[in-house]
Structures are given as structure tokens and as C-alpha cells.
Amino acid sequence: MLIGIYSLAFVFGTLWLLQQPVLPEMYRAIGLIPMVLTALILPQFKLRFSVWVSRCLLFTAMLGAGFFWAALWAQIRLTDELPHKWEGKNVVVTGVVPEMPQFSQDSVRFRFDVERVLTPDAGVPARIQLSWYRDNRREGAALPHIVAGERWQLTVRLKRPHGNANPHVPDYEAKLLERNVRATGYVRAGESNRRLEIPENHPAYFFERERDEIRSHFQHYLADYPYAGVLIALVVGDQRAIPSEQWEIFTQTGTSHLMAISGSHITLLAGMVFFLTYRAWRRTSLALWLPARKFALVCGLIVAIGYALLAGFAVPVRRALFMMAIIVAAFWKNQHVHTLSVLGWVLLLVVVLDPWSVIAPGFWLSFAAVALICLVVSGRVGRSGAVISWVRIQWAITLGLFPLLLILFQQVSLISPVANAVAIPVITFLIVPLVLLATIPGLEFLLLIAHPVLQVTMVVLQWLGELPLATWQQQMPPLWTVVAATAGVIWLLLPGGPGLGVSAGFPARWLGILAGAPLFLVSPEKPAEGALWLTVLDVGQGLSVVAQTRNHTLLYDTGPGYGENDSGKYVILPFLRGEGIQALDMMIVSHVDSDHSGGALSVLKKLKTDVLLTSIEDGHPIRRAIPDNRYCLAGNSWWWNGVHFEILHPDKPDTSAALMRKRKTNESSCVLKITASHGSVLLPGDIGQVTEAELLRRYVRDSLASSVLVVPHHGSRSSSSEEFVRRVDPDYAIFTVGYRSRFGHPHEKVVNLYREQGSQSYRSDYDGAILLHFSRAGITVNTWRALNRRFWYDKWPVAGKED
């Protein structure tokens, strides 16, 4: 049991390091040596409480060990970086594609291990991530056929790791650091890009080539089958092959863990091999030399290792494989093992080998689920028949993971016990064996049996996911409520009874309910009457702003869309969910351009929205997605909780697509002014100087003056005329731009114009999301990168200034 506690200390030390704004100085780790020596020597004196003091010191030492071990890994990874001067420049490199590439309709995305840099004096990190886009300038141009393990010479343009930085949204830069990807970019079209020779079945990439070949074979055999991606994921662990709509079904029903190559899959395959080899070996004379049980265990372990490598060796796979290896070793030596102790050793081993695994949600969910299962099957909840034990396991997992799921995703599937009772037997004991056998040449027809079974299962899961109250959502809970709820869950799962001993049971288990109550009762803070909270989200090259009054929420623009992915799905919805916002009173889509409207459909699909205001023409899919859709027209105004909202432009609707084409859509942007008791903000969309002149003529005196201005058209030089800037006279100017924008936003002259006006500038590419509170104390401005500073963030230039 102690190893589990010490392993948790090491894990928390690693997690503590990942919260730091700067890396510590490594010489401070020397202080751990006297702490460990004291902890080891102290029990020898047999003083009162010496054992407890020794254990506390060892716990603290393991906490520090995890902290400095992760810091060492971080320093090694961060030293391999792309120099600023080589961002955006052509560089010729040679290297190997180490993993399966990911194909979409117009691009292929892959990791690239750089072996040589052919461009003189250029510096390139050893591991980069590239996208190769279809050349649309050439008719009939096809994407290159890239296979894992191939060596290529490529001309690339790179940039340093960068992602959008927003509250409640996963940190993409941390994900890149976890994968040791130190630059991203794309392949430049040209004849210099060519495939180089590579030895067949190179041992370093053997399993990746096998994974790639199996995936290609399945894709060809299951062409046009809707759930082909699910079957592929169950074999080679390629979860990106599953469409987002199907992922939503798994998320709503709490069955997404089945789509990962998990411990159950590894155990199933190893168990099948064990059974077959055990039956065969015991019938031979060799069983006298080597017992059949030991031989079968080793065979099962070898197959499990091969399957783990074939599945990509993700965190749940590593956990299952390491546990299996320890248990097999114990059985080989005829020793008994305690499952929780094994789990503790495996936890320590996984984090020592890869400190960045603690970033992955799968790490926490995998180990927590196994710990809960161990608690149940070890008899601490009680011993019963198979059916009752199964129900208790599902109950324990659902209840035990509730706090963890809320802090990771702010939503929990309440229907998951029923959904898992349906899906686990079908997928684990029927579909997985069929698709694994289908990897053997000649048995591909088994896929045609597995797919209909899966199709029926998906229909049932979809029906369950659409039931009322199938999913519980709430705001990001405070950390202390999660800790209290976790302790409460553990207390609830302890054996009941009147006595104080373990055998007699623990009394008053109902106290666990009280410990979990704050998780649901602590409500998010709200603006006061007359106050306004404004969040300018970091959506890259685009715009999205959330305005909150005490009882109302407005979303202005929805960021860019890019194929199946968009800002609505991956930025706006996670932010709103984390803030506890489950409905929108109004959405304004300023104009049709994709960098402002790209995420609208995703938000409207998932979030109840009362009213849509927009300048988009009739018949557009965004307008058809909501019954109450209206044109935004100058003069429309309303009050929410003492805060005034007013549309300033356009003064008349463009009622047809033909008119919209005749007039630039930017100039039709809905212009919104919000006035709170202690400040105002102007949201002008992408208007240019023509519309700015119209506003200057239409509104006199201080009608346009605002405390905060979201700079028109991302700081383009076609906007922000001198007279407009002078009349608005903002205290704060916010530029919403993408990192290294290909449009050159914001233009240096525009930045200087606001600086000369006396405005304090913020940029979403440098600052991340900008959070403004208009209250009695005045206007408080914070930026997410400043509030959530991490050591892997780049050293950005001062906001509003150019290099």
C-alpha cells in the first residue's frame, strides 16, 4: 500500500512541475538527499512517531523527485528548438516518417524525424509535425502516398509550437511537448520533394509499417462502410479514423474508453493465447520439463507485447502491459502479489519512463478505473455472484470517475452504466476477436460479420445517448471540491457495518455524500447588476467574443472553421461548458466570412440558443439552424441586467446573395456597442474604412466613444482610419489575430496608430484569451497566457509591439 502512496507523490510532483511558469534550477534537487537519508535512518532510533515522520519525509522526497525528474526531461526537450529567424523560411531536410500519417480530403498530416538539414546554417528540431496540402493550382493533382517508415527529402516552412490559449480548453502546446514535437509547418510544393530509399522492414519502424498496412487494408476492404474507422481503431489504435459524430455518441454514453486499445483488449488477447497454448502444451511431453501454465503465461505476455506495439503503445496500453508483466513474473516465481501494490509500481514506472503522460486524460482515467475495479474485486465492497459483482463494478466506476470527469471535461454520462452493460460484452468478446482475426490474410471476411454487429450496437448507443438527462454538464469545479468528492467516493465504497475494523466495516458511510455535495452546490461566480464580463477568445485568425451579464449570455461571432474541425467545437463549447453556461440568450454572427461564422453550426447544434442576429443572407445553413433568426439592423437595442446593447450597423439588410456579392461582406458586418455602468466596448467585426466613414457621419459626439475596441478587421490597414480611431478613443485596443498571420495582421502602421492614440494594446496571438471585467472597480483586464503562464510558452514580444 505504501508504494501506491509514494507513487502518487511522484505523480503529483510531476504534475506540480507542469504548473510552473519557469523551470527550476536543477541544483536544488540536491536537497532531497539529506531528506531521504534522514527518512531511512530515523526509524532505527525507535523514537515515538519516528516511523510516521520517516514516511512523511519519504512522501515529500518522492514529491520532489517527481518534480525535478520532470524538470530534467523538460530542459532536454526545450533545448531542441526552432530559431526565431528560421520561422516561415524554406528549409530542405531529409528524414523518416516514424508513424502512420493521417489523411483528409485535401491534406496529409504526419510526424517527421529529421536526420539531416540540407539548407546551410539552418537549425531544425529533431522531431517536427508537417502537413502536405493538395496543390489546387494543378488540375487533377493528388496527395502524395506516404507510408510509415519511409525516408523523404522535403522543402518545409516551419514555426515554433503555438496553439490557442483559452480557459477550459486543452493546451495544444502542452500536447505538442508531450509528443516531443518541437516545430510545426507544411511542405512547400516543388520538385525537390522526393522519396528516398529505405531498407525494407527496417526494425526501427517495423510495427508502424505493419499498423499502416493493416489500416490501409481495412480501409480498402471496408470502403463506404460507415463504421470502418471504429474497427480500425480497435485494431491499430488510430482513434482519428473515427468521425466526430461517432465520437459524440461514445462521449454521451460514456463508452469512449472502448475505442482505445485498453487493458481489456490486451487481457482478452493474452487470455485467448494463454488458453490455447495451455491446452496444447499440456498434451506434450515438454510439459514435464516446463509446466504448461508457465509456458502459456509467457506466450500470452509475448503476444500482448506485440499487440501493444501494434496498437501504438498509448498510456492505457502501457499500464495494462506493465501490470501483466509483473503478474506473470510473480506467477513464474510462484509468488503472491497484491493488485493495488502492482498498480502502484506500474504507476511509478509509467511516469518515470514518460513524465508527460500525466498530461493525457487517458492516464488519469485508466489508472483510476483500474484502482476502483481493484477495490471492488478485492472484496472491500463485498463478495457476491458474478452479476452482482458486475453491477457493483459499473456502479463503482461511474461514481468514482464522476469528480475526475467533471474536472477534465465538465460533463459526465449518466447513462454510462447501462450503455457499458450493452457495449462491453459485444465489443470486447465479439467484435474485437473478429477484427483481430481479420488481420490474418484470408480471414478478411470476418469484418463483414463484425460491422453489422457494430452497426446495431451503435444504433442502441445513439438511442441511449439521446435520452433526456443522459449527460450531466456543469461548470469547471474548484479543485478543493474535486478532492473532497474523491475522498467522499472512497468513503462510500468502503465496507459498511457498525464496527471500526475493516472486517466489521466502516460506520457512517453516508458522510461520503456530504463530502461530494460541494461539487454540485458551489455555483459559478456571476457579474453583479450593471456589470459586464467580456471574454475575447483566442481562436487564431478569426473572432469570437462572449459577453456575460448577471443572467444573460451573448456570443458575438464563432471563429474560423477548417473542415471537420472548427472553433465552435474545440474552443467555444469547452469554454462555455467550463463557465457553466448551458444556453445562449443570443448569438450574433457579424457576417458570412468563415473566420467569423465557421463555428456557428457546431455551437447551435449543441447549445440552446434563443435568438440569432446576423447579416448573412436568407437560406444560409446557419440561419436555417435556428427558428428565431433576424437581420441585425441599426437601431435594434435592448437591456440586460442594467447593461445596454445596441446595433449600430448595418442600417438596412442585404436580402439576397447577389447583393452580398456586389457589396463586400466585410462592410455588412454587424457592429455592436455594449455599455455597462462602468465602461463600454465596441465590436465592429470586419468593417473597413468605407463603413467607418458611414458610422462617423451617422453618429455624432460621443456615440462611438468606447473604453474597449476590438480592432476592426484584425488590424488590417484597410480599416482603422485616423478619424475613426480618434472618435472611438479606446483605452484598450484588442487585436484578434493568428500566430504569424499570412495576411500580415495586424499591420504595423495600425498598431502604431493606436499606440499614438494612447490605447493599451493586446493581441490574441501573444496574450491568448483577453478577459475583461467592467465593474465598480473600473475595467480589469487579464490575459490567459499571463494568468496561466507555463514554462513551455514561448517568449513573446511585448503586446502591441513588433520585433
Side-chain angles (χ1 to χ4, degrees):
M1 193 65 181
L2 284 176
I3 182 59
I5 296 174
Y6 294 147
S7 297
L8 279 175
F10 192 90
V11 171
F12 289 141
T14 303
L15 196 61
W16 181 26
L17 184 277
L18 297 180
Q19 312 305 311
Q20 301 306 305
V22 294
L23 287 174
E25 297 170 324
M26 290 303 298
Y27 74 86
R28 297 181 183 274
I30 298 175
L32 297 177
I33 297 176
M35 188 181 300
V36 173
L37 292 176
T38 303
L40 295 176
I41 296 173
L42 193 60
Q44 306 302 321
F45 293 98
K46 297 182 179 180
L47 300 174
R48 188 179 183 184
F49 302 122
S50 60
V51 173
W52 288 103
V53 173
S54 174
R55 290 176 179 176
C56 290
L57 288 174
L58 283 176
F59 182 89
T60 306
M62 288 295 288
L63 188 73
F67 182 84
F68 286 105
W69 179 247
L72 178 62
W73 279 60
Q75 288 185 350
I76 294 173
R77 290 195 175 183
L78 292 178
T79 54
D80 188 20
E81 64 178 7
L82 177 71
H84 280 286
K85 67 178 182 179
W86 284 102
E87 285 190 290
K89 295 183 179 179
N90 288 354
V91 180
V92 181
V93 297
T94 64
V96 179
V97 180
E99 295 179 348
M100 293 189 303
Q102 300 297 321
F103 290 88
S104 63
Q105 184 176 356
D106 295 313
S107 67
V108 54
R109 186 180 180 187
F110 56 96
R111 214 178 70 196
F112 196 69
D113 287 352
V114 177
E115 295 177 331
R116 293 180 59 199
V117 181
L118 303 182
T119 302
D121 302 323
V124 175
R127 178 172 291 181
I128 60 179
Q129 183 171 282
L130 297 172
S131 296
W132 196 333
Y133 297 98
R134 187 191 307 274
D135 189 355
N136 294 323
R137 296 170 298 180
R138 295 165 48 201
E139 187 175 352
L143 289 172
H145 182 67
I146 298 177
V147 177
E150 291 181 335
R151 181 175 282 110
W152 284 77
Q153 175 180 302
L154 302 172
T155 301
V156 300
R157 281 192 178 180
L158 302 172
K159 64 180 180 180
R160 296 163 71 91
H162 183 85
N164 301 333
N166 298 280
H168 317 305
V169 179
D171 190 336
Y172 181 63
E173 292 173 47
K175 184 67 175 178
L176 290 176
L177 187 64
E178 177 200 353
R179 301 185 64 205
N180 198 20
V181 173
R182 302 305 303 134
T184 62
Y186 62 95
V187 179
R188 291 279 291 171
E191 296 182 357
S192 61
N193 301 320
R194 57 193 178 94
R195 184 183 286 106
L196 304 176
E197 294 295 327
I198 185 169
E200 286 294 325
N201 297 324
H202 192 290
Y205 308 107
F206 172 77
F207 283 98
E208 282 300 324
R209 290 177 68 90
E210 290 298 314
R211 295 178 72 205
D212 206 341
E213 289 178 9
I214 291 172
R215 183 182 65 172
S216 299
H217 189 58
F218 276 31
Q219 287 173 337
H220 175 75
Y221 201 85
L222 294 171
D224 301 324
Y225 281 76
Y227 299 107
V230 175
L231 298 181
I232 291 171
L234 290 173
V235 177
V236 297
D238 182 17
Q239 298 182 15
R240 286 169 288 189
I242 303 176
S244 59
E245 295 79 9
Q246 295 173 15
W247 266 122
E248 288 183 9
I249 296 174
F250 296 129
T251 301
Q252 290 170 350
T253 56
T255 54
S256 55
H257 63 95
L258 294 174
M259 295 304 105
I261 306 298
S262 61
S264 60
H265 299 153
I266 299 285
T267 305
L268 172 67
L269 182 61
M272 292 171 58
V273 172
F274 172 86
F275 177 78
L276 294 175
T277 54
Y278 177 77
R279 293 289 298 269
W281 190 261
R282 67 183 299 186
R283 296 177 183 273
T284 68
S285 59
L286 294 174
L288 299 174
W289 170 69
L290 180 63
R293 185 184 299 274
K294 290 186 176 181
F295 176 76
L297 283 170
V298 173
C299 290
L301 179 61
I302 292 173
V303 171
I305 293 173
Y307 186 30
L309 294 171
L310 193 64
F313 215 57
V315 171
V317 175
R318 276 176 263 170
R319 188 265 309 153
L321 185 62
F322 293 159
M323 286 191 71
M324 188 178 298
I326 293 175
I327 292 172
V328 167
F331 272 106
W332 184 271
K333 295 183 178 182
N334 298 316
Q335 294 180 351
H336 295 287
V337 293
H338 192 278
T339 310
L340 286 176
S341 297
V342 172
L343 187 64
W345 280 111
V346 171
L347 177 65
L348 182 62
L349 182 60
V350 167
V351 180
V352 167
L353 293 178
D354 183 12
W356 308 108
S357 59
V358 300
I359 294 176
F363 170 87
W364 298 97
L365 295 175
S366 176
F367 277 100
V370 174
L372 289 166
I373 292 173
C374 290
L375 184 66
V376 173
V377 300
S378 64
R380 292 180 62 82
V381 178
R383 299 184 181 275
S384 303
V387 175
I388 298 299
S389 296
W390 170 263
V391 171
R392 283 180 170 170
I393 287 174
Q394 291 301 310
W395 156 254
I397 291 176
T398 302
L399 186 66
L401 295 184
F402 209 101
L404 192 57
L405 288 169
L406 280 182
I407 198 169
L408 289 174
F409 308 112
Q410 294 83 61
Q411 62 179 9
V412 178
S413 174
L414 299 180
I415 203 70
S416 63
V418 178
N420 278 288
V422 173
I424 288 178
V426 175
I427 292 176
T428 303
F429 300 111
L430 184 57
I431 295 176
V432 169
L434 287 173
V435 295
L436 287 176
L437 290 172
T439 61
I440 301 173
L443 297 182
E444 297 89 347
F445 69 91
L446 294 176
L447 293 173
L448 301 182
I449 301 175
H451 190 275
V453 177
L454 176 62
Q455 199 163 14
V456 173
T457 305
M458 293 297 293
V459 171
V460 175
L461 292 180
Q462 185 173 5
W463 177 77
L464 289 172
E466 292 174 353
L467 291 175
L469 300 178
T471 305
W472 174 276
Q473 296 184 3
Q474 69 173 63
Q475 78 282 356
M476 172 72 79
L479 182 59
W480 71 268
T481 64
V482 174
V483 174
T486 302
V489 166
I490 294 173
W491 190 258
L492 275 172
L493 294 178
L494 291 174
L500 296 177
V502 174
S503 59
F506 285 81
R509 289 189 300 155
W510 57 269
L511 291 174
I513 299 176
L514 297 181
L519 189 67
F520 308 98
L521 298 179
V522 175
S523 59
E525 186 182 358
K526 292 183 177 182
E529 190 74 16
L532 170 70
W533 289 0
L534 195 83
T535 305
V536 182
L537 293 171
D538 177 13
V539 292
Q541 187 64 33
L543 177 65
S544 184
V545 181
V546 178
Q548 297 173 256
T549 66
R550 183 161 186 82
N551 298 315
H552 298 276
T553 304
L554 179 145
L555 175 64
Y556 181 94
D557 280 345
T558 58
Y562 20 86
E564 189 179 277
N565 303 325
D566 59 66
S567 296
K569 186 181 300 182
Y570 291 104
V571 176
I572 298 170
L573 286 172
F575 170 78
L576 295 176
R577 188 163 54 240
E579 291 291 306
I581 298 171
Q582 299 185 9
L584 294 174
D585 297 279
M586 183 178 292
M587 176 192 291
I588 297 178
V589 180
S590 64
H591 61 299
V592 75
D593 286 3
S594 62
D595 59 334
H596 293 252
S597 65
L601 289 175
S602 292
V603 176
L604 290 171
K605 180 181 177 182
K606 300 295 292 184
L607 213 61
K608 179 182 178 298
T609 305
D610 292 338
V611 179
L612 170 69
L613 293 184
T614 184
S615 64
I616 298 175
E617 70 273 8
D618 286 327
H620 192 280
I622 293 177
R623 298 198 66 152
R624 294 200 305 266
I626 177 172
D628 193 351
N629 62 86
R630 315 169 191 172
Y631 284 103
C632 55
L633 293 175
N636 290 349
S637 64
W638 62 96
W639 289 87
W640 283 345
N641 305 118
V643 179
H644 186 245
F645 295 76
E646 182 180 9
I647 302 293
L648 304 183
H649 182 80
D651 59 342
K652 58 183 177 181
D654 290 324
T655 56
S656 70
L659 285 174
M660 292 294 288
R661 287 192 296 268
K662 185 176 180 180
R663 183 180 184 182
K664 289 181 64 177
T665 56
N666 287 347
E667 302 297 352
S668 298
S669 295
C670 304
V671 178
L672 174 68
K673 184 175 182 181
I674 309 175
T675 306
S677 301
H678 306 281
S680 58
V681 59
L682 185 64
L683 303 171
D686 275 358
I687 63 171
Q689 294 186 7
V690 172
T691 301
E692 290 175 358
E694 288 184 21
L695 292 172
L696 292 171
R697 288 193 298 269
R698 193 184 310 151
Y699 297 97
V700 296
R701 298 180 182 175
D702 297 331
S703 299
L704 294 177
S706 301
S707 311
V708 177
L709 172 67
V710 177
V711 175
H713 202 183
H714 318 289
S716 167
R717 61 180 176 179
S718 63
S719 303
S720 296
S721 63
E722 292 187 14
E723 178 62 17
F724 180 79
V725 174
R726 186 185 65 81
R727 285 276 297 274
V728 177
D729 189 24
D731 297 320
Y732 304 98
I734 298 175
F735 296 88
T736 55
V737 292
Y739 178 64
R740 298 188 58 82
S741 166
R742 71 179 190 274
F743 304 105
H745 297 157
H747 196 275
E748 185 177 359
K749 290 183 178 179
V750 176
V751 175
N752 289 333
L753 181 62
Y754 283 98
R755 185 182 295 119
E756 292 168 0
Q757 184 66 25
S759 303
Q760 184 174 347
S761 296
Y762 293 90
R763 295 176 50 159
S764 59
D765 56 344
Y766 294 169
D767 298 306
I770 295 99
L771 301 88
L772 304 101
H773 284 194
F774 299 75
S775 62
R776 291 182 179 179
I779 302 176
T780 304
V781 184
N782 287 302
T783 67
W784 186 243
R785 285 192 182 271
L787 291 173
N788 194 54
R789 183 71 189 171
R790 296 293 182 264
F791 62 81
W792 56 82
Y793 287 168
D794 212 337
K795 304 298 186 292
W796 311 109
V798 177
K801 296 183 180 180
E802 302 296 315
D803 289 333

